[in-house]
Amino acid sequence: MTSRHDRELALRRDLVEAGHMVELPLRGLSAFTGTFEDVLAGVERLVHEMQPTEDVTVISFPPLLTQPVFEKTGYLDSFPQLIGSVDVFTGDTKAHKAMVVDKNAGEDWTTHLVPARLDLLSAPCHQTYPLHAGSRLERGVTYETGNRCFRHEPSDDPMRLVSFRMREKVCIGTPEQAQAHREIGRRVGPELLTSIGLQIEEVPANDPFFGRAAKIFAAGQLDAGLKVEFECKVYGEEHSGTALGSSNYHNDHFGLDFDITTADGQLAHSSCIGFGLERVTVALFATHGMDVPSWPTEVRARLGLDAQA
Ligand code: ATP
Ligand code: MG
């Protein structure tokens, strides 16, 4: 049996040889070319058109969180292995000279930098909770937002990147509103993916918690049925599937951390449905082949690819 890793390398090679992906000199960083980006734009549009509720605010943010907000998301506590932050240079000309000398000598010049107190965004939804921090929501709110996310999980798998794009719909409101949003996501998420010819299975999922309590947290998340993933068996039936999207119910986790309440004075609950845009796009190439003009007509039409021909 071909190992999963060999299959990952083969898919990566196919994407590179077809000219859709360009490898950058660091594991987990890749560039993507025109045709790939056309397909990805089609996927992003489908996510946009997939309206879990009527009243959605589309909003875009920078791919950075300020340190106090980042701390509140809880990401550092649960997933320290994935995080990254920004350093900047604030010195004078003398300090600059010393830094350049170190760089030219092949020494570690980053010791001349200081933390900017900015953290790289791990999930687009983290930008939405601070909008309502310390406030009472008279009615539930739903945002659609997309961003470039950073997760330090370097891999040979072209579906697991260090920097990738995710588009999400996030609901903050009463438990009923947050649960309803998630349930709509569970229905329309797989519908979206199957409509572009992908074979999808919904599976219960847990996040990769860090450290000794990881197993307990993961089991708690699974038992409570908080997260489901839309998996595609990109590397064959005999290997584990890959999550192309997920639908998460956070309970009052973010309501508590950001002090958000609802009209009845209770803590706000939240949920989100998100798709990895490169992941869905790579799954399309793995399923339909490297030659986009020969993809099934309905799939091309759904992705709006014929309009560009
Ligand atoms: P996985 O179990 O594969 O690590 P995840 O549970 O960490 O995925 P989520 O946090 O639910 O993923 O993020 C939503 C979506 O973002 C995923 O379903 C996937 O499509 C995409 N995604 C997550 N991590 C990556 C990554 N490292 N590279 C590319 N896409 C990713
Ligand atoms: Mg992950």
Side-chain angles (χ1 to χ4, degrees), residues 176-202:
E176 295 72 30
Q177 286 166 332
Q179 280 166 24
H181 175 81
R182 192 188 93 126
E183 290 310 311
I184 295 169
R186 283 178 71 178
R187 180 171 53 77
V188 298
E191 267 173 24
L192 184 163
L193 296 167
T194 48
S195 79
I196 45 179
L198 299 173
Q199 285 204 355
I200 298 300
E201 192 188 346
E202 184 194 283

Short mmCIF file of all heavy atoms in Angstrom, two decimals, residues 176-202:
data_model
loop_
_atom_site.label_atom_id
_atom_site.label_comp_id
_atom_site.label_asym_id
_atom_site.label_seq_id
_atom_site.Cartn_x
_atom_site.Cartn_y
_atom_site.Cartn_z
N GLU A 176 -29.56 29.37 21.24
CA GLU A 176 -30.41 28.87 20.15
C GLU A 176 -29.91 29.40 18.80
O GLU A 176 -29.85 28.65 17.82
CB GLU A 176 -31.87 29.30 20.34
CG GLU A 176 -32.56 28.70 21.57
CD GLU A 176 -32.07 29.28 22.89
OE1 GLU A 176 -31.66 30.47 22.91
OE2 GLU A 176 -32.07 28.54 23.90
N GLN A 177 -29.58 30.70 18.78
CA GLN A 177 -29.11 31.29 17.51
C GLN A 177 -27.79 30.65 17.07
O GLN A 177 -27.61 30.31 15.89
CB GLN A 177 -28.94 32.81 17.66
CG GLN A 177 -30.26 33.54 17.72
CD GLN A 177 -30.11 34.98 18.21
OE1 GLN A 177 -29.21 35.32 18.97
NE2 GLN A 177 -31.03 35.82 17.77
N ALA A 178 -26.87 30.49 18.03
CA ALA A 178 -25.55 29.92 17.68
C ALA A 178 -25.71 28.47 17.22
O ALA A 178 -25.08 28.05 16.25
CB ALA A 178 -24.60 30.01 18.86
N GLN A 179 -26.58 27.73 17.90
CA GLN A 179 -26.78 26.32 17.50
C GLN A 179 -27.45 26.23 16.14
O GLN A 179 -27.09 25.38 15.32
CB GLN A 179 -27.62 25.58 18.54
CG GLN A 179 -26.80 25.16 19.74
CD GLN A 179 -27.66 24.75 20.92
OE1 GLN A 179 -28.81 24.36 20.74
NE2 GLN A 179 -27.11 24.84 22.12
N ALA A 180 -28.42 27.10 15.91
CA ALA A 180 -29.13 27.06 14.62
C ALA A 180 -28.15 27.37 13.49
O ALA A 180 -28.16 26.72 12.44
CB ALA A 180 -30.27 28.08 14.62
N HIS A 181 -27.26 28.35 13.72
CA HIS A 181 -26.26 28.71 12.71
C HIS A 181 -25.38 27.51 12.38
O HIS A 181 -25.11 27.19 11.23
CB HIS A 181 -25.41 29.87 13.25
CG HIS A 181 -24.27 30.27 12.37
ND1 HIS A 181 -24.43 31.09 11.28
CD2 HIS A 181 -22.94 29.96 12.41
CE1 HIS A 181 -23.26 31.28 10.69
NE2 HIS A 181 -22.34 30.60 11.35
N ARG A 182 -24.96 26.83 13.43
CA ARG A 182 -24.11 25.67 13.22
C ARG A 182 -24.83 24.56 12.46
O ARG A 182 -24.27 23.91 11.60
CB ARG A 182 -23.63 25.13 14.56
CG ARG A 182 -22.52 24.13 14.37
CD ARG A 182 -22.21 23.47 15.66
NE ARG A 182 -22.98 22.26 15.75
CZ ARG A 182 -22.44 21.08 15.98
NH1 ARG A 182 -21.15 20.99 16.14
NH2 ARG A 182 -23.17 20.01 16.07
N GLU A 183 -26.10 24.37 12.81
CA GLU A 183 -26.85 23.30 12.13
C GLU A 183 -27.06 23.63 10.66
O GLU A 183 -27.00 22.74 9.81
CB GLU A 183 -28.20 23.05 12.83
CG GLU A 183 -28.06 22.41 14.21
CD GLU A 183 -27.15 21.17 14.19
OE1 GLU A 183 -27.33 20.30 13.33
OE2 GLU A 183 -26.23 21.12 15.04
N ILE A 184 -27.29 24.91 10.36
CA ILE A 184 -27.42 25.30 8.95
C ILE A 184 -26.08 25.03 8.25
O ILE A 184 -26.03 24.49 7.14
CB ILE A 184 -27.83 26.79 8.81
CG1 ILE A 184 -29.22 27.00 9.39
CG2 ILE A 184 -27.80 27.22 7.34
CD1 ILE A 184 -29.62 28.46 9.54
N GLY A 185 -24.99 25.36 8.93
CA GLY A 185 -23.65 25.10 8.37
C GLY A 185 -23.44 23.63 8.08
O GLY A 185 -22.88 23.26 7.05
N ARG A 186 -23.93 22.78 8.98
CA ARG A 186 -23.77 21.33 8.78
C ARG A 186 -24.51 20.86 7.54
O ARG A 186 -24.14 19.86 6.93
CB ARG A 186 -24.31 20.57 9.99
CG ARG A 186 -23.38 20.61 11.15
CD ARG A 186 -23.96 19.89 12.32
NE ARG A 186 -23.99 18.45 12.12
CZ ARG A 186 -24.42 17.60 13.04
NH1 ARG A 186 -24.87 18.04 14.19
NH2 ARG A 186 -24.41 16.31 12.80
N ARG A 187 -25.59 21.56 7.22
CA ARG A 187 -26.35 21.16 6.03
C ARG A 187 -25.76 21.76 4.76
O ARG A 187 -25.46 21.04 3.81
CB ARG A 187 -27.82 21.61 6.19
CG ARG A 187 -28.69 21.23 4.99
CD ARG A 187 -30.15 21.50 5.27
NE ARG A 187 -30.42 22.86 5.72
CZ ARG A 187 -30.46 23.93 4.92
NH1 ARG A 187 -30.23 23.80 3.63
NH2 ARG A 187 -30.72 25.13 5.41
N VAL A 188 -25.55 23.08 4.77
CA VAL A 188 -25.13 23.73 3.53
C VAL A 188 -23.64 23.53 3.22
O VAL A 188 -23.25 23.58 2.05
CB VAL A 188 -25.50 25.23 3.49
CG1 VAL A 188 -26.98 25.44 3.56
CG2 VAL A 188 -24.79 26.01 4.58
N GLY A 189 -22.84 23.26 4.24
CA GLY A 189 -21.41 23.03 4.00
C GLY A 189 -21.18 21.82 3.09
O GLY A 189 -20.59 21.95 2.01
N PRO A 190 -21.67 20.64 3.49
CA PRO A 190 -21.49 19.47 2.62
C PRO A 190 -22.19 19.65 1.27
O PRO A 190 -21.68 19.19 0.24
CB PRO A 190 -22.14 18.33 3.42
CG PRO A 190 -22.06 18.79 4.84
CD PRO A 190 -22.20 20.27 4.81
N GLU A 191 -23.34 20.36 1.27
CA GLU A 191 -24.03 20.61 -0.01
C GLU A 191 -23.13 21.36 -0.97
O GLU A 191 -23.02 21.03 -2.16
CB GLU A 191 -25.29 21.45 0.22
CG GLU A 191 -26.55 20.62 0.44
CD GLU A 191 -27.74 21.50 0.85
OE1 GLU A 191 -27.75 22.72 0.55
OE2 GLU A 191 -28.63 20.95 1.50
N LEU A 192 -22.48 22.40 -0.44
CA LEU A 192 -21.58 23.21 -1.27
C LEU A 192 -20.48 22.32 -1.87
O LEU A 192 -20.21 22.35 -3.07
CB LEU A 192 -20.96 24.31 -0.41
CG LEU A 192 -20.05 25.36 -1.06
CD1 LEU A 192 -19.90 26.54 -0.14
CD2 LEU A 192 -18.69 24.84 -1.43
N LEU A 193 -19.86 21.51 -1.00
CA LEU A 193 -18.71 20.72 -1.46
C LEU A 193 -19.12 19.62 -2.44
O LEU A 193 -18.41 19.36 -3.41
CB LEU A 193 -17.97 20.14 -0.24
CG LEU A 193 -17.35 21.20 0.68
CD1 LEU A 193 -16.91 20.59 2.01
CD2 LEU A 193 -16.16 21.88 0.01
N THR A 194 -20.27 19.00 -2.19
CA THR A 194 -20.69 17.93 -3.12
C THR A 194 -21.14 18.54 -4.46
O THR A 194 -21.01 17.90 -5.49
CB THR A 194 -21.80 17.04 -2.54
OG1 THR A 194 -22.82 17.87 -2.00
CG2 THR A 194 -21.30 16.14 -1.45
N SER A 195 -21.60 19.79 -4.43
CA SER A 195 -22.05 20.42 -5.68
C SER A 195 -20.88 20.69 -6.64
O SER A 195 -21.09 20.97 -7.81
CB SER A 195 -22.78 21.74 -5.39
OG SER A 195 -21.85 22.78 -5.14
N ILE A 196 -19.64 20.60 -6.13
CA ILE A 196 -18.49 20.76 -7.03
C ILE A 196 -17.76 19.42 -7.19
O ILE A 196 -16.55 19.37 -7.47
CB ILE A 196 -17.54 21.90 -6.57
CG1 ILE A 196 -17.27 21.84 -5.06
CG2 ILE A 196 -18.11 23.25 -6.97
CD1 ILE A 196 -16.31 22.92 -4.55
N GLY A 197 -18.53 18.35 -6.99
CA GLY A 197 -18.03 17.01 -7.34
C GLY A 197 -17.11 16.38 -6.31
O GLY A 197 -16.40 15.42 -6.63
N LEU A 198 -17.12 16.88 -5.06
CA LEU A 198 -16.27 16.29 -4.03
C LEU A 198 -17.08 15.31 -3.20
O LEU A 198 -18.26 15.57 -2.92
CB LEU A 198 -15.68 17.39 -3.13
CG LEU A 198 -14.80 18.42 -3.86
CD1 LEU A 198 -14.42 19.56 -2.92
CD2 LEU A 198 -13.55 17.74 -4.42
N GLN A 199 -16.45 14.21 -2.82
CA GLN A 199 -17.14 13.24 -1.96
C GLN A 199 -16.83 13.57 -0.51
O GLN A 199 -15.67 13.58 -0.10
CB GLN A 199 -16.64 11.84 -2.28
CG GLN A 199 -17.24 11.36 -3.58
CD GLN A 199 -17.28 9.85 -3.65
OE1 GLN A 199 -16.78 9.16 -2.78
NE2 GLN A 199 -17.87 9.35 -4.72
N ILE A 200 -17.91 13.85 0.22
CA ILE A 200 -17.74 14.41 1.57
C ILE A 200 -18.41 13.53 2.61
O ILE A 200 -19.51 13.02 2.40
CB ILE A 200 -18.37 15.83 1.62
CG1 ILE A 200 -17.65 16.77 0.64
CG2 ILE A 200 -18.35 16.40 3.03
CD1 ILE A 200 -16.18 16.97 0.91
N GLU A 201 -17.71 13.38 3.73
CA GLU A 201 -18.33 12.71 4.87
C GLU A 201 -18.22 13.64 6.08
O GLU A 201 -17.14 14.20 6.33
CB GLU A 201 -17.59 11.40 5.16
CG GLU A 201 -18.33 10.51 6.12
CD GLU A 201 -17.51 9.31 6.54
OE1 GLU A 201 -16.49 9.03 5.89
OE2 GLU A 201 -17.88 8.67 7.53
N GLU A 202 -19.33 13.79 6.80
CA GLU A 202 -19.25 14.61 8.02
C GLU A 202 -18.76 13.74 9.16
O GLU A 202 -19.30 12.65 9.38
CB GLU A 202 -20.64 15.17 8.36
CG GLU A 202 -20.56 16.09 9.56
CD GLU A 202 -21.92 16.41 10.17
OE1 GLU A 202 -22.63 17.24 9.59
OE2 GLU A 202 -22.23 15.83 11.24
#
